mmCIF file of all heavy atoms in Angstrom:
data_model
loop_
_atom_site.group_PDB
_atom_site.id
_atom_site.type_symbol
_atom_site.label_atom_id
_atom_site.label_comp_id
_atom_site.label_asym_id
_atom_site.label_seq_id
_atom_site.Cartn_x
_atom_site.Cartn_y
_atom_site.Cartn_z
ATOM 1 N N CYS A 1 0.828 -1.213 -0.022
ATOM 2 C CA CYS A 1 -0.012 -0.010 0.001
ATOM 3 C C CYS A 1 0.869 1.268 0.008
ATOM 4 O O CYS A 1 2.014 1.214 0.468
ATOM 5 C CB CYS A 1 -0.896 -0.018 1.219
ATOM 6 S SG CYS A 1 -2.076 -1.337 1.268
ATOM 7 N N LEU A 2 0.291 2.298 -0.520
ATOM 8 C CA LEU A 2 1.065 3.594 -0.625
ATOM 9 C C LEU A 2 0.116 4.767 -0.639
ATOM 10 O O LEU A 2 -1.009 4.611 -0.934
ATOM 11 C CB LEU A 2 2.038 3.611 -1.781
ATOM 12 C CG LEU A 2 1.394 3.692 -3.160
ATOM 13 C CD1 LEU A 2 2.382 4.359 -4.138
ATOM 14 C CD2 LEU A 2 0.868 2.420 -3.718
ATOM 15 N N ASP A 3 0.720 5.943 -0.368
ATOM 16 C CA ASP A 3 -0.049 7.169 -0.471
ATOM 17 C C ASP A 3 0.311 7.775 -1.835
ATOM 18 O O ASP A 3 1.464 8.220 -2.059
ATOM 19 C CB ASP A 3 0.343 8.124 0.607
ATOM 20 C CG ASP A 3 -0.427 9.445 0.637
ATOM 21 O OD1 ASP A 3 -1.033 9.785 -0.414
ATOM 22 O OD2 ASP A 3 -0.462 10.123 1.654
ATOM 23 N N SER A 4 -0.650 7.762 -2.786
ATOM 24 C CA SER A 4 -0.309 8.234 -4.128
ATOM 25 C C SER A 4 0.098 9.671 -4.231
ATOM 26 O O SER A 4 0.778 10.078 -5.190
ATOM 27 C CB SER A 4 -1.542 7.939 -5.039
ATOM 28 O OG SER A 4 -2.692 8.721 -4.611
ATOM 29 N N ASN A 5 -0.332 10.468 -3.226
ATOM 30 C CA ASN A 5 0.102 11.906 -3.229
ATOM 31 C C ASN A 5 1.543 12.038 -2.893
ATOM 32 O O ASN A 5 2.143 13.131 -3.135
ATOM 33 C CB ASN A 5 -0.782 12.669 -2.250
ATOM 34 C CG ASN A 5 -2.261 12.676 -2.660
ATOM 35 O OD1 ASN A 5 -2.555 12.955 -3.789
ATOM 36 N ND2 ASN A 5 -3.130 12.438 -1.683
ATOM 37 N N LYS A 6 2.186 11.009 -2.255
ATOM 38 C CA LYS A 6 3.581 11.132 -1.881
ATOM 39 C C LYS A 6 4.479 10.327 -2.790
ATOM 40 O O LYS A 6 5.718 10.257 -2.634
ATOM 41 C CB LYS A 6 3.786 10.636 -0.414
ATOM 42 C CG LYS A 6 3.044 11.492 0.577
ATOM 43 C CD LYS A 6 3.259 11.025 2.030
ATOM 44 C CE LYS A 6 2.553 11.895 3.043
ATOM 45 N NZ LYS A 6 2.746 11.364 4.422
ATOM 46 N N GLY A 7 3.899 9.633 -3.780
ATOM 47 C CA GLY A 7 4.601 8.853 -4.754
ATOM 48 C C GLY A 7 5.023 7.492 -4.204
ATOM 49 O O GLY A 7 4.550 7.059 -3.118
ATOM 50 N N LEU A 8 5.879 6.801 -4.907
ATOM 51 C CA LEU A 8 6.324 5.492 -4.558
ATOM 52 C C LEU A 8 7.789 5.587 -4.013
ATOM 53 O O LEU A 8 8.666 6.096 -4.598
ATOM 54 C CB LEU A 8 6.290 4.559 -5.741
ATOM 55 C CG LEU A 8 6.431 3.099 -5.560
ATOM 56 C CD1 LEU A 8 5.764 2.274 -6.699
ATOM 57 C CD2 LEU A 8 7.863 2.620 -5.440
ATOM 58 N N LYS A 9 7.941 5.057 -2.797
ATOM 59 C CA LYS A 9 9.209 5.172 -2.095
ATOM 60 C C LYS A 9 9.898 3.809 -1.970
ATOM 61 O O LYS A 9 9.278 2.756 -2.209
ATOM 62 C CB LYS A 9 9.077 5.782 -0.708
ATOM 63 C CG LYS A 9 8.434 7.163 -0.704
ATOM 64 C CD LYS A 9 8.344 7.717 0.702
ATOM 65 C CE LYS A 9 7.745 9.156 0.688
ATOM 66 N NZ LYS A 9 7.643 9.718 2.075
ATOM 67 N N ASN A 10 11.190 3.832 -1.650
ATOM 68 C CA ASN A 10 11.967 2.599 -1.501
ATOM 69 C C ASN A 10 11.523 1.922 -0.105
ATOM 70 O O ASN A 10 10.716 2.411 0.631
ATOM 71 C CB ASN A 10 13.474 2.829 -1.479
ATOM 72 C CG ASN A 10 13.910 3.737 -0.333
ATOM 73 O OD1 ASN A 10 13.142 4.233 0.402
ATOM 74 N ND2 ASN A 10 15.225 3.890 -0.257
ATOM 75 N N LYS A 11 12.172 0.767 0.130
ATOM 76 C CA LYS A 11 11.732 -0.042 1.266
ATOM 77 C C LYS A 11 11.791 0.691 2.595
ATOM 78 O O LYS A 11 10.944 0.507 3.472
ATOM 79 C CB LYS A 11 12.610 -1.340 1.323
ATOM 80 C CG LYS A 11 12.221 -2.302 2.390
ATOM 81 C CD LYS A 11 13.149 -3.497 2.426
ATOM 82 C CE LYS A 11 13.029 -4.325 1.166
ATOM 83 N NZ LYS A 11 13.879 -5.545 1.192
ATOM 84 N N ASP A 12 12.783 1.558 2.724
ATOM 85 C CA ASP A 12 12.990 2.258 4.005
ATOM 86 C C ASP A 12 12.276 3.595 4.015
ATOM 87 O O ASP A 12 12.422 4.419 5.001
ATOM 88 C CB ASP A 12 14.433 2.451 4.271
ATOM 89 C CG ASP A 12 15.203 1.147 4.400
ATOM 90 O OD1 ASP A 12 14.625 0.182 4.946
ATOM 91 O OD2 ASP A 12 16.395 1.079 3.953
ATOM 92 N N SER A 13 11.537 3.959 2.943
ATOM 93 C CA SER A 13 10.821 5.209 2.812
ATOM 94 C C SER A 13 11.782 6.403 2.880
ATOM 95 O O SER A 13 11.402 7.472 3.340
ATOM 96 C CB SER A 13 9.727 5.322 3.888
ATOM 97 O OG SER A 13 8.758 4.363 3.641
ATOM 98 N N THR A 14 13.043 6.205 2.531
ATOM 99 C CA THR A 14 14.025 7.299 2.589
ATOM 100 C C THR A 14 14.244 7.967 1.172
ATOM 101 O O THR A 14 14.845 9.011 1.107
ATOM 102 C CB THR A 14 15.369 6.716 3.044
ATOM 103 O OG1 THR A 14 15.786 5.661 2.173
ATOM 104 C CG2 THR A 14 15.273 6.183 4.496
ATOM 105 N N LYS A 15 13.718 7.366 0.131
ATOM 106 C CA LYS A 15 13.924 7.878 -1.204
ATOM 107 C C LYS A 15 12.654 7.722 -2.042
ATOM 108 O O LYS A 15 12.078 6.637 -2.078
ATOM 109 C CB LYS A 15 15.103 7.205 -1.880
ATOM 110 C CG LYS A 15 15.464 7.717 -3.231
ATOM 111 C CD LYS A 15 16.673 6.952 -3.832
ATOM 112 C CE LYS A 15 17.036 7.509 -5.175
ATOM 113 N NZ LYS A 15 18.163 6.749 -5.777
ATOM 114 N N VAL A 16 12.304 8.733 -2.772
ATOM 115 C CA VAL A 16 11.135 8.654 -3.686
ATOM 116 C C VAL A 16 11.662 8.105 -5.062
ATOM 117 O O VAL A 16 12.502 8.596 -5.664
ATOM 118 C CB VAL A 16 10.516 9.977 -3.928
ATOM 119 C CG1 VAL A 16 9.390 9.901 -4.917
ATOM 120 C CG2 VAL A 16 9.956 10.559 -2.596
ATOM 121 N N ILE A 17 11.090 6.917 -5.491
ATOM 122 C CA ILE A 17 11.440 6.339 -6.719
ATOM 123 C C ILE A 17 10.649 6.884 -7.870
ATOM 124 O O ILE A 17 11.158 7.142 -8.992
ATOM 125 C CB ILE A 17 11.268 4.788 -6.666
ATOM 126 C CG1 ILE A 17 12.179 4.207 -5.517
ATOM 127 C CG2 ILE A 17 11.702 4.122 -7.978
ATOM 128 C CD1 ILE A 17 11.949 2.749 -5.246
ATOM 129 N N LEU A 18 9.373 7.068 -7.622
ATOM 130 C CA LEU A 18 8.454 7.698 -8.586
ATOM 131 C C LEU A 18 7.621 8.748 -7.809
ATOM 132 O O LEU A 18 6.976 8.420 -6.835
ATOM 133 C CB LEU A 18 7.479 6.649 -9.162
ATOM 134 C CG LEU A 18 8.090 5.539 -10.111
ATOM 135 C CD1 LEU A 18 6.986 4.536 -10.412
ATOM 136 C CD2 LEU A 18 8.640 6.118 -11.320
ATOM 137 N N ASN A 19 7.672 10.018 -8.264
ATOM 138 C CA ASN A 19 6.895 11.006 -7.598
ATOM 139 C C ASN A 19 5.404 10.846 -8.009
ATOM 140 O O ASN A 19 5.049 10.103 -8.890
ATOM 141 C CB ASN A 19 7.417 12.448 -7.841
ATOM 142 C CG ASN A 19 7.400 12.847 -9.310
ATOM 143 O OD1 ASN A 19 6.427 12.481 -10.059
ATOM 144 N ND2 ASN A 19 8.394 13.492 -9.770
ATOM 145 N N ALA A 20 4.561 11.662 -7.395
ATOM 146 C CA ALA A 20 3.076 11.526 -7.595
ATOM 147 C C ALA A 20 2.697 11.654 -9.071
ATOM 148 O O ALA A 20 1.881 10.927 -9.537
ATOM 149 C CB ALA A 20 2.374 12.552 -6.734
ATOM 150 N N SER A 21 3.293 12.621 -9.786
ATOM 151 C CA SER A 21 2.960 12.858 -11.185
ATOM 152 C C SER A 21 3.473 11.707 -12.049
ATOM 153 O O SER A 21 2.799 11.278 -12.964
ATOM 154 C CB SER A 21 3.488 14.164 -11.675
ATOM 155 O OG SER A 21 4.903 14.250 -11.593
ATOM 156 N N GLU A 22 4.666 11.151 -11.731
ATOM 157 C CA GLU A 22 5.213 10.064 -12.516
ATOM 158 C C GLU A 22 4.376 8.763 -12.295
ATOM 159 O O GLU A 22 4.217 8.009 -13.266
ATOM 160 C CB GLU A 22 6.652 9.817 -12.119
ATOM 161 C CG GLU A 22 7.669 10.895 -12.550
ATOM 162 C CD GLU A 22 8.997 10.744 -11.920
ATOM 163 O OE1 GLU A 22 9.093 10.187 -10.819
ATOM 164 O OE2 GLU A 22 10.002 11.149 -12.599
ATOM 165 N N LEU A 23 3.870 8.640 -11.109
ATOM 166 C CA LEU A 23 3.136 7.412 -10.753
ATOM 167 C C LEU A 23 1.860 7.275 -11.545
ATOM 168 O O LEU A 23 1.393 6.114 -11.660
ATOM 169 C CB LEU A 23 2.817 7.413 -9.220
ATOM 170 C CG LEU A 23 2.313 6.181 -8.591
ATOM 171 C CD1 LEU A 23 3.323 5.020 -8.673
ATOM 172 C CD2 LEU A 23 2.003 6.466 -7.136
ATOM 173 N N LYS A 24 1.314 8.338 -11.996
ATOM 174 C CA LYS A 24 0.017 8.365 -12.699
ATOM 175 C C LYS A 24 0.040 7.413 -13.954
ATOM 176 O O LYS A 24 -0.991 6.883 -14.298
ATOM 177 C CB LYS A 24 -0.352 9.736 -13.112
ATOM 178 C CG LYS A 24 -0.778 10.654 -11.957
ATOM 179 C CD LYS A 24 -1.084 12.081 -12.397
ATOM 180 C CE LYS A 24 -1.493 12.978 -11.252
ATOM 181 N NZ LYS A 24 -1.781 14.351 -11.729
ATOM 182 N N LYS A 25 1.212 7.255 -14.520
ATOM 183 C CA LYS A 25 1.332 6.378 -15.708
ATOM 184 C C LYS A 25 0.885 4.939 -15.402
ATOM 185 O O LYS A 25 0.449 4.204 -16.309
ATOM 186 C CB LYS A 25 2.782 6.381 -16.143
ATOM 187 C CG LYS A 25 3.124 5.477 -17.334
ATOM 188 C CD LYS A 25 4.565 5.573 -17.764
ATOM 189 C CE LYS A 25 4.917 4.542 -18.850
ATOM 190 N NZ LYS A 25 6.349 4.634 -19.186
ATOM 191 N N TRP A 26 1.065 4.486 -14.163
ATOM 192 C CA TRP A 26 0.798 3.099 -13.828
ATOM 193 C C TRP A 26 -0.557 2.929 -13.145
ATOM 194 O O TRP A 26 -0.897 1.845 -12.734
ATOM 195 C CB TRP A 26 1.909 2.567 -12.908
ATOM 196 C CG TRP A 26 3.141 2.257 -13.711
ATOM 197 C CD1 TRP A 26 3.491 1.133 -14.373
ATOM 198 C CD2 TRP A 26 4.274 3.163 -13.949
ATOM 199 N NE1 TRP A 26 4.672 1.250 -15.030
ATOM 200 C CE2 TRP A 26 5.229 2.446 -14.759
ATOM 201 C CE3 TRP A 26 4.527 4.478 -13.581
ATOM 202 C CZ2 TRP A 26 6.397 3.056 -15.206
ATOM 203 C CZ3 TRP A 26 5.727 5.093 -14.044
ATOM 204 C CH2 TRP A 26 6.618 4.336 -14.812
ATOM 205 N N PHE A 27 -1.337 3.981 -13.034
ATOM 206 C CA PHE A 27 -2.670 3.875 -12.363
ATOM 207 C C PHE A 27 -3.610 3.256 -13.307
ATOM 208 O O PHE A 27 -3.599 3.433 -14.547
ATOM 209 C CB PHE A 27 -3.183 5.257 -12.010
ATOM 210 C CG PHE A 27 -3.091 5.512 -10.477
ATOM 211 C CD1 PHE A 27 -2.044 6.167 -9.925
ATOM 212 C CD2 PHE A 27 -4.114 5.066 -9.690
ATOM 213 C CE1 PHE A 27 -1.953 6.353 -8.604
ATOM 214 C CE2 PHE A 27 -4.050 5.242 -8.247
ATOM 215 C CZ PHE A 27 -2.938 5.895 -7.773
ATOM 216 N N GLY A 28 -4.502 2.389 -12.759
ATOM 217 C CA GLY A 28 -5.524 1.762 -13.577
ATOM 218 C C GLY A 28 -6.621 1.214 -12.650
ATOM 219 O O GLY A 28 -6.770 1.708 -11.544
ATOM 220 N N LYS A 29 -7.318 0.172 -13.084
ATOM 221 C CA LYS A 29 -8.323 -0.473 -12.337
ATOM 222 C C LYS A 29 -7.892 -1.843 -11.920
ATOM 223 O O LYS A 29 -7.058 -2.439 -12.579
ATOM 224 C CB LYS A 29 -9.597 -0.617 -13.129
ATOM 225 C CG LYS A 29 -10.285 0.745 -13.454
ATOM 226 C CD LYS A 29 -10.816 1.386 -12.213
ATOM 227 C CE LYS A 29 -11.590 2.655 -12.561
ATOM 228 N NZ LYS A 29 -12.098 3.299 -11.319
ATOM 229 N N ARG A 30 -8.406 -2.310 -10.799
ATOM 230 C CA ARG A 30 -8.055 -3.650 -10.319
ATOM 231 C C ARG A 30 -8.271 -4.728 -11.437
ATOM 232 O O ARG A 30 -9.197 -4.647 -12.193
ATOM 233 C CB ARG A 30 -8.937 -4.003 -9.089
ATOM 234 C CG ARG A 30 -8.702 -5.420 -8.510
ATOM 235 C CD ARG A 30 -9.635 -5.748 -7.441
ATOM 236 N NE ARG A 30 -11.070 -5.826 -7.854
ATOM 237 C CZ ARG A 30 -11.598 -6.873 -8.458
ATOM 238 N NH1 ARG A 30 -10.824 -7.925 -8.708
ATOM 239 N NH2 ARG A 30 -12.858 -6.870 -8.791
ATOM 240 N N ALA A 31 -7.338 -5.710 -11.512
ATOM 241 C CA ALA A 31 -7.412 -6.816 -12.435
ATOM 242 C C ALA A 31 -6.957 -6.484 -13.861
ATOM 243 O O ALA A 31 -7.023 -7.280 -14.753
ATOM 244 C CB ALA A 31 -8.848 -7.433 -12.488
ATOM 245 N N GLN A 32 -6.504 -5.233 -14.067
ATOM 246 C CA GLN A 32 -5.843 -4.936 -15.318
ATOM 247 C C GLN A 32 -4.421 -5.487 -15.339
ATOM 248 O O GLN A 32 -3.884 -5.895 -14.384
ATOM 249 C CB GLN A 32 -5.863 -3.402 -15.599
ATOM 250 C CG GLN A 32 -7.191 -2.837 -15.853
ATOM 251 C CD GLN A 32 -7.260 -1.311 -16.084
ATOM 252 O OE1 GLN A 32 -6.295 -0.652 -15.651
ATOM 253 N NE2 GLN A 32 -8.255 -0.806 -16.741
ATOM 254 N N ALA A 33 -3.739 -5.405 -16.525
ATOM 255 C CA ALA A 33 -2.451 -5.947 -16.652
ATOM 256 C C ALA A 33 -1.341 -5.036 -16.144
ATOM 257 O O ALA A 33 -0.300 -5.454 -15.667
ATOM 258 C CB ALA A 33 -2.140 -6.285 -18.103
ATOM 259 N N GLY A 34 -1.602 -3.728 -16.232
ATOM 260 C CA GLY A 34 -0.610 -2.759 -15.831
ATOM 261 C C GLY A 34 0.391 -2.480 -16.955
ATOM 262 O O GLY A 34 0.246 -2.952 -18.040
ATOM 263 N N LYS A 35 1.477 -1.762 -16.619
ATOM 264 C CA LYS A 35 2.504 -1.505 -17.604
ATOM 265 C C LYS A 35 3.894 -1.912 -17.052
ATOM 266 O O LYS A 35 4.052 -2.049 -15.871
ATOM 267 C CB LYS A 35 2.467 0.025 -17.900
ATOM 268 C CG LYS A 35 1.189 0.502 -18.578
ATOM 269 C CD LYS A 35 1.243 1.986 -18.828
ATOM 270 C CE LYS A 35 -0.095 2.452 -19.463
ATOM 271 N NZ LYS A 35 -0.095 3.944 -19.650
ATOM 272 N N LEU A 36 4.835 -2.047 -17.978
ATOM 273 C CA LEU A 36 6.198 -2.433 -17.583
ATOM 274 C C LEU A 36 6.678 -1.587 -16.462
ATOM 275 O O LEU A 36 6.580 -0.382 -16.505
ATOM 276 C CB LEU A 36 7.124 -2.392 -18.747
ATOM 277 C CG LEU A 36 6.981 -3.484 -19.824
ATOM 278 C CD1 LEU A 36 7.943 -3.211 -20.983
ATOM 279 C CD2 LEU A 36 7.256 -4.908 -19.178
ATOM 280 N N GLU A 37 7.239 -2.205 -15.481
ATOM 281 C CA GLU A 37 7.778 -1.474 -14.288
ATOM 282 C C GLU A 37 8.955 -0.675 -14.656
ATOM 283 O O GLU A 37 9.676 -1.049 -15.651
ATOM 284 C CB GLU A 37 8.111 -2.482 -13.151
ATOM 285 C CG GLU A 37 9.308 -3.342 -13.508
ATOM 286 C CD GLU A 37 9.938 -4.043 -12.271
ATOM 287 O OE1 GLU A 37 9.487 -3.866 -11.210
ATOM 288 O OE2 GLU A 37 10.951 -4.725 -12.524
ATOM 289 N N PRO A 38 9.251 0.416 -13.897
ATOM 290 C CA PRO A 38 10.522 1.054 -14.127
ATOM 291 C C PRO A 38 11.645 0.138 -13.875
ATOM 292 O O PRO A 38 11.472 -0.850 -13.072
ATOM 293 C CB PRO A 38 10.450 2.159 -12.993
ATOM 294 C CG PRO A 38 8.988 2.376 -12.707
ATOM 295 C CD PRO A 38 8.403 1.071 -12.919
ATOM 296 N N LYS A 39 12.825 0.314 -14.391
ATOM 297 C CA LYS A 39 13.884 -0.610 -14.431
ATOM 298 C C LYS A 39 14.235 -1.110 -13.033
ATOM 299 O O LYS A 39 14.557 -0.281 -12.126
ATOM 300 C CB LYS A 39 15.124 0.026 -15.054
ATOM 301 C CG LYS A 39 16.251 -0.996 -15.234
ATOM 302 C CD LYS A 39 17.416 -0.337 -15.945
ATOM 303 C CE LYS A 39 18.573 -1.380 -16.194
ATOM 304 N NZ LYS A 39 19.717 -0.753 -16.856
ATOM 305 N N ASN A 40 14.121 -2.458 -12.821
ATOM 306 C CA ASN A 40 14.456 -3.052 -11.516
ATOM 307 C C ASN A 40 13.773 -2.431 -10.304
ATOM 308 O O ASN A 40 14.309 -2.451 -9.180
ATOM 309 C CB ASN A 40 15.988 -2.998 -11.254
ATOM 310 C CG ASN A 40 16.757 -3.753 -12.369
ATOM 311 O OD1 ASN A 40 16.331 -4.806 -12.749
ATOM 312 N ND2 ASN A 40 17.916 -3.257 -12.740
ATOM 313 N N LEU A 41 12.535 -1.967 -10.473
ATOM 314 C CA LEU A 41 11.819 -1.373 -9.393
ATOM 315 C C LEU A 41 11.648 -2.463 -8.234
ATOM 316 O O LEU A 41 11.789 -2.040 -7.038
ATOM 317 C CB LEU A 41 10.412 -0.959 -9.855
ATOM 318 C CG LEU A 41 9.470 -0.446 -8.767
ATOM 319 C CD1 LEU A 41 9.957 0.826 -8.167
ATOM 320 C CD2 LEU A 41 8.039 -0.250 -9.340
ATOM 321 N N HIS A 42 11.308 -3.669 -8.557
ATOM 322 C CA HIS A 42 10.999 -4.619 -7.533
ATOM 323 C C HIS A 42 12.188 -4.913 -6.617
ATOM 324 O O HIS A 42 12.037 -5.277 -5.430
ATOM 325 C CB HIS A 42 10.567 -6.003 -8.141
ATOM 326 C CG HIS A 42 11.596 -6.580 -8.971
ATOM 327 N ND1 HIS A 42 11.890 -6.234 -10.286
ATOM 328 C CD2 HIS A 42 12.416 -7.702 -8.739
ATOM 329 C CE1 HIS A 42 12.799 -7.011 -10.756
ATOM 330 N NE2 HIS A 42 13.127 -7.889 -9.867
ATOM 331 N N SER A 43 13.398 -4.709 -7.087
ATOM 332 C CA SER A 43 14.571 -4.931 -6.299
ATOM 333 C C SER A 43 14.883 -3.776 -5.324
ATOM 334 O O SER A 43 15.616 -3.910 -4.328
ATOM 335 C CB SER A 43 15.787 -5.142 -7.139
ATOM 336 O OG SER A 43 16.105 -3.943 -7.916
#
């Protein structure tokens, strides 16, 4: 879970990986496929 107004942060919440405006690209509805993640985001 995350606060979309604060963007997507790393595991320790010390760094913003995607800010709120950048995050909009990946917004959709539940059960959709989504879009390719930013490079190595999951790591």
Side-chain angles (χ1 to χ4, degrees):
C1 297
L2 72 156
D3 185 339
S4 61
N5 295 315
K6 296 180 179 179
L8 194 156
K9 299 182 179 181
N10 64 355
K11 185 181 294 186
D12 300 324
S13 296
T14 57
K15 182 179 179 182
V16 176
I17 301 173
L18 294 172
N19 62 39
S21 59
E22 292 171 328
L23 191 62
K24 291 179 180 179
K25 176 181 175 181
W26 285 273
F27 255 96
K29 294 292 185 180
R30 178 183 66 79
Q32 291 181 337
K35 297 179 181 179
L36 286 175
E37 66 163 1
K39 188 175 181 181
N40 296 323
L41 173 68
H42 64 282
S43 64

